């Protein structure tokens, strides 16, 4: 990095983020316009594709591309005498043409990054230079900040971190001014409670009627799948999944999983017009108690994927789930290791469960970490299944489903398949040919690869191997949601990020870590997935979900942030591993860019960048921007 660039970053970071300008910068105007990224992966379909970008592989791969500026640190908090930095688990949101109300930037029309942190503070940060009559508002300037809650330490969370906000907020741009929805854990007065906030995005003020407090009474009373226990102690239930909105903006969706596999999963629908919980759905009934009468918590269909639920144009809601207790294989209304679809008010209407879900339950190999991408109808591919969704799993497996014919019922999961060739009867859309990953093989011993066999069956596509491996904690191969891209000729692709393991039961990683999968169809028949290409050099340890930037159907670039530390690693370790930003040419699958060691500071886990106007924004314990002059 050049000395000039380092000096510029240091000068900006040294500025006090709440400094009042010497003169009121009235009528400030950003020089860029027209882009909105109001939700995780861009919108309700979770496509992860920004298709109006001028960034080219040549520009990104050139010597001038790199870290261009960094904001000041997010605000820290002191708890029990220990100072904690503010960290962003949430991905940033972005919007051009936001008019700020009040404060020193009143009436300025600017491009804004919205960021929520683990310390329960939400920021609106200026993204691009905004000239004023007296001076410009520089990129990285904090336009407003809103401290929503008192964060509390969650035991064993990434090294005993405090938690305020964990999930990616959502921006409703249909309201005037726009509304920013955020969840946060509040530890005031010795209690730990999840709250849902609606903020005026122009000034950061909490809107009347908010926050909505999520407690046992409010959540359990509207459960469509009970009875089940919603834990009043927010330290036991994580709200990691990104928020989602119904098409009319009347329902806000948020999901819950259990820390340490210690709670049933939930999805909750909030009525945004009369703020309250309108409906909920537990991943399973769960009211078991131990001998002393205490609630006996179980890992049951946790809804924890960082990408959160997807919502289609008809208002139907889609979400994947984590493991259930293996002994509850066909128990009524138990939905571990499944993809679920609900109506607007969370009436279950369709389900899919992989054929080998009982094995997945036993091995902590769930589909809950990779949420749904709702694919658009293709411009060129002729298929009898034009309405599709895709997602992945911790086992490194990719699934494709026809949304008009989701195969499962709504009473219970089917009986689990046990024969080696049952993969051919899986209800997802399968490649037409047998696969070397679904063969009649018998393991010699635990963690020893079985002898190869030519007696193989069709089955879901394995993209990060080896197949049939354990996937608990550091062994997992994918906790990410794929990103979509359609080429200029109309060929549809998905890009997956993950970790290929060196051997069965290994933690060490080998290439590939970015895989391009093509959506194909033979003679206009059903669609299926084909591994099309992969990088040959990346060894990503614990990546977040990728995003794709392109100039229409040309020059796709895949962007991914790797935590560069194992899932079990503490974020408070000293020294801590710093994350790294990667850019991969989506056509050649060659690595174009890798950030310098130490460029990115330590933030949360499963970070996903956003790309706008030739700049890539990453949030860690501050905002950091990458571009070429």
């Amino acid at each position: 990095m050049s000395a000039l660039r380092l000096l510029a970053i240091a000068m900006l970071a040294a500025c006090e983020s709440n400094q009042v300008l010497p003169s009121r910068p009235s009528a400030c105007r950003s020089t860029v316009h027209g882009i909105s990224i109001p939700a995780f992966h861009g919108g309700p379909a979770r496509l992860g594709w920004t298709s109006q970008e001028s960034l080219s592989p040549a520009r990104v791969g050139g010597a001038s591309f790199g870290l261009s500026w960094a904001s000041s640190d997010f605000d820290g908090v002191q708890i029990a005498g220990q100072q904690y930095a503010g960290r962003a688990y949430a991905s940033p949101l972005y919007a051009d043409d936001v008019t700020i109300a009040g404060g020193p930037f009143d009436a300025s029309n600017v491009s804004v990054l919205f960021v929520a942190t683990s310390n329960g503070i939400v920021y609106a940060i200026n993204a691009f230079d905004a000239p004023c009559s007296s001076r410009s508002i520089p990129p990285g300037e904090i336009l407003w900040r809103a401290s929503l809650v008192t964060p509390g330490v969650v035991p064993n969370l990434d090294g005993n971190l405090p938690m305020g906000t964990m999930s990616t907020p959502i921006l409703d741009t249909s309201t005037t001014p726009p509304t920013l929805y955020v969840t946060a854990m509040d530890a005031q007065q010795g209690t730990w409670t999840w709250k849902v906030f609606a903020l005026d995005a122009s000034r950061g003020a909490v809107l009347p009627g908010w926050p909505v407090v999520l407690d046992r009474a409010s959540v359990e009373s509207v459960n469509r799948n009970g009875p089940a226990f919603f834990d009043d102690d927010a330290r036991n239930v994580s709200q990691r999944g990104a928020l989602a909105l119904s098409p009319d903006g009347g329902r806000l969706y948020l999901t819950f999983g259990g820390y340490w596999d210690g709670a049933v999963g939930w999805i909750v629908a909030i009525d945004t017009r009369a703020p309250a919980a309108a409906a909920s759905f537990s991943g399973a009934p769960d009211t078991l108690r131990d001998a002393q009468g205490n609630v006996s918590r179980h890992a049951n269909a946790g809804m924890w994927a960082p990408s959160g639920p997807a919502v289609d144009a008809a208002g139907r809601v889609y979400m994947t789930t984590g493991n259930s207790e293996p002994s509850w294989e066909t128990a009524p209304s138990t939905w571990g290791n499944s993809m679920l679809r609900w109506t607007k008010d969370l009436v279950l209407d369709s389900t899919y469960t992989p054929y080998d879900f009982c094995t997945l339950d036993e091995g902590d190999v769930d589909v809950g970490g990779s949420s749904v991408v709702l694919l658009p109808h293709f411009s060129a591919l002729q298929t009898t299944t034009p309405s599709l969704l895709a997602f992945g799993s911790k086992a490194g497996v990719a699934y494709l489903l026809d949304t008009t014919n989701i195969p499962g019922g709504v009473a219970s999961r089917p009986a689990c398949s046990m024969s080696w060739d049952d993969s051919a009867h899986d209800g997802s859309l399968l490649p037409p040919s047998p696969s070397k990953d679904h063969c009649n093989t018998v393991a010699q011993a635990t963690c020893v690869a079985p002898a190869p066999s030519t007696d193989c069956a069709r089955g879901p596509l394995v993209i990060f191997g080896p197949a049939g491996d354990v996937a608990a904690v550091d062994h997992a191969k994918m906790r990410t949601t794929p990103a979509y891209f359609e080429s200029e000729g109309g060929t549809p692709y998905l890009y997956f990020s993950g970790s290929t393991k060196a051997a069965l039961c290994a933690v060490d990683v080998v290439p590939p870590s970015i895989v391009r999968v093509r959506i194909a169809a033979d003679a206009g028949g059903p669609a299926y997935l084909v591994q099309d290409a992969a990088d040959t050099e990346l060894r990503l340890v614990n990546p977040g979900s990728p995003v794709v930037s392109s100039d229409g159907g040309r020059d796709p670039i895949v962007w991914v942030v790797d935590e560069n530390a194992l899932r079990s690693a503490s974020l408070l370790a000293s020294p801590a591993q710093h994350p790294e930003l990667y850019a991969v040419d989506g056509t050649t699958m060659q690595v174009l860019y890798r950030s310098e060691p130490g460029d990115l500071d330590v933030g949360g886990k499963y970070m996903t960048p956003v790309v706008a106007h030739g700049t890539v924004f990453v949030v860690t314990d501050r905002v950091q921007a990458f571009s070429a002059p």
Side-chain angles (χ1 to χ4, degrees):
M1 187 185 304
S2 70
L4 182 61
R5 178 174 287 168
L6 281 170
L7 178 62
I9 293 171
M11 290 176 64
L12 182 59
C15 294
E16 289 296 328
S17 59
N18 59 353
Q19 177 183 0
V20 177
L21 295 178
S23 60
R24 192 181 188 87
S26 59
C28 297
R29 293 291 183 269
S30 175
T31 57
V32 295
H33 307 281
I35 291 178
S36 178
I37 305 173
F40 182 94
H41 254 201
R46 308 302 198 200
L47 291 178
W49 180 23
T50 301
S51 60
Q52 301 173 356
E53 272 302 320
S54 59
L55 283 172
S56 67
R59 186 179 178 192
V60 173
S64 63
F65 189 88
L67 180 60
S68 54
W69 60 262
S71 72
S72 57
D73 299 1
F74 298 137
D75 295 273
V77 65
Q78 191 170 75
I79 301 175
Q82 182 171 347
Q83 187 71 15
Y84 295 93
R87 302 172 188 274
Y89 283 79
S91 299
L93 306 179
Y94 178 89
D96 286 328
D97 306 304
V98 176
T99 300
I100 301 299
F105 307 108
D106 185 48
S108 296
N109 188 269
V110 288
S111 299
V112 181
L113 291 157
F114 295 98
V115 182
T117 72
S118 59
N119 285 341
I121 302 173
V122 182
Y123 301 85
I125 296 176
N126 189 45
F128 291 96
D129 186 66
C132 309
S133 56
S134 58
R135 55 161 280 187
S136 292
I137 305 175
E141 189 80 41
I142 295 177
L143 303 167
W144 57 253
R145 57 160 57 79
S147 182
L148 300 181
V149 296
T150 299
V153 172
V154 176
N156 301 319
L157 173 62
D158 296 334
N160 297 329
L161 285 179
M163 182 47 58
T165 296
M166 198 176 205
S167 65
T168 301
I170 193 166
L171 183 69
D172 187 352
T173 57
S174 70
T175 63
T176 305
T179 302
L180 183 68
Y181 295 102
V182 187
T183 63
M185 189 188 89
D186 197 352
Q188 283 185 334
Q189 300 174 339
T191 62
W192 290 266
T193 307
W194 283 105
K195 296 180 178 179
V196 188
F197 295 82
L199 306 181
D200 176 342
S202 70
R203 65 176 72 228
V206 179
L207 295 177
W210 300 83
V212 173
V213 177
L214 296 178
D215 55 20
R216 286 195 64 190
S218 62
V219 174
E220 292 180 15
S221 64
V222 291
N223 186 9
R224 306 281 193 186
N225 195 45
F229 183 80
F230 183 82
D231 205 315
D232 268 330
D233 188 339
R235 293 174 298 178
N236 295 321
V237 285
S238 67
Q239 205 288 289
R240 185 187 291 271
L243 307 187
L245 276 171
S246 61
D248 63 1
R251 293 289 184 270
L252 174 71
Y253 302 101
L254 57 152
T255 58
F256 292 91
Y259 292 117
W260 326 292
D261 286 343
V264 67
W266 290 85
I267 183 170
V268 180
I270 304 293
D271 186 336
T272 62
R273 311 281 162 70
S280 67
F281 189 99
S282 61
D286 194 0
T287 57
L288 296 181
R289 295 183 179 272
D290 61 23
Q292 289 73 43
N294 301 312
V295 172
S296 179
R297 299 185 180 94
H298 293 77
N300 257 313
M303 303 181 203
W304 58 273
S307 44
V311 183
D312 67 19
R316 294 172 298 192
V317 183
Y318 302 74
M319 187 64 191
T320 55
T321 66
N323 302 309
S324 283
E325 288 293 302
S327 61
W328 297 6
E329 179 181 322
T330 57
S333 303
T334 296
W335 296 111
N337 259 311
S338 298
M339 193 292 301
L340 308 180
R341 186 175 76 185
W342 300 272
T343 65
K344 174 182 177 179
D345 282 317
L346 301 184
V347 175
L348 188 66
D349 79 352
S350 297
T351 70
Y352 160 75
T353 305
Y355 75 99
D356 56 347
F357 73 88
C358 55
T359 302
L360 304 183
D361 278 345
E362 291 171 356
D364 191 20
V365 191
D366 58 274
V367 302
S370 176
S371 199
V372 168
V373 175
L374 298 172
L375 306 182
H377 284 203
F378 311 124
S379 59
L381 182 69
Q382 299 299 313
T383 176
T384 56
T385 56
S387 298
L388 299 168
L389 65 83
F391 61 96
S393 77
K394 285 163 65 175
V397 177
Y399 298 91
L400 187 70
L401 291 174
D402 177 4
T403 64
T404 64
N405 186 28
I406 298 175
V410 296
S412 68
R413 298 183 292 182
C416 186
S417 299
M418 299 303 292
S419 174
W420 72 268
D421 58 351
D422 281 334
S423 59
H425 305 294
D426 187 85
S428 61
L429 297 172
L430 304 179
S433 301
S435 166
K436 63 180 178 60
D437 296 314
H438 303 281
C439 298
N440 184 14
T441 58
V442 178
Q444 305 295 317
T446 302
C447 300
V448 176
S453 171
T454 57
D455 193 7
C456 300
R458 300 165 63 212
L461 182 67
V462 178
I463 53 178
F464 298 112
D469 200 4
V470 297
V473 193
D474 295 334
H475 297 273
K477 302 182 185 74
M478 180 167 51
R479 293 185 176 96
T480 58
T481 296
Y484 178 77
F485 169 72
E486 187 172 321
S487 73
E488 196 169 32
T491 303
Y493 296 100
L494 290 166
Y495 292 90
F496 290 81
S497 60
S499 300
T500 300
K501 301 302 183 179
L504 286 170
C505 301
V507 173
D508 295 338
V509 179
V510 297
S513 288
I514 305 292
V515 174
R516 183 176 71 214
V517 172
R518 179 168 52 89
I519 302 164
D522 294 339
Y528 58 92
L529 299 177
V530 179
Q531 182 163 327
D532 190 71
D535 85 89
T536 59
E537 59 180 288
L538 292 181
R539 292 172 167 85
L540 303 186
V541 180
N542 191 27
S545 296
V547 294
V548 176
S549 66
S550 71
D551 180 8
R554 301 187 301 272
D555 293 336
I557 299 174
V558 185
W559 301 91
V560 64
V561 176
D562 182 26
E563 180 61 29
N564 198 28
L566 293 171
R567 173 67 187 90
S568 61
S570 169
L571 293 175
L572 299 179
S574 182
Q577 290 291 107
H578 286 242
E580 295 179 342
L581 171 67
Y582 293 87
V584 173
D585 187 322
T587 302
T588 67
M589 300 304 292
Q590 298 299 305
V591 176
L592 297 170
Y593 176 76
R594 173 179 179 171
S595 59
E596 295 292 331
D599 271 0
L600 288 173
D601 293 279
V602 180
K605 294 182 177 177
Y606 308 118
M607 292 175 285
T608 298
V610 298
V611 186
H613 303 296
T615 300
V616 183
F617 300 98
V618 181
V619 291
T620 54
D621 65 350
R622 66 201 73 191
V623 174
Q624 297 176 260
F626 295 78
S627 63

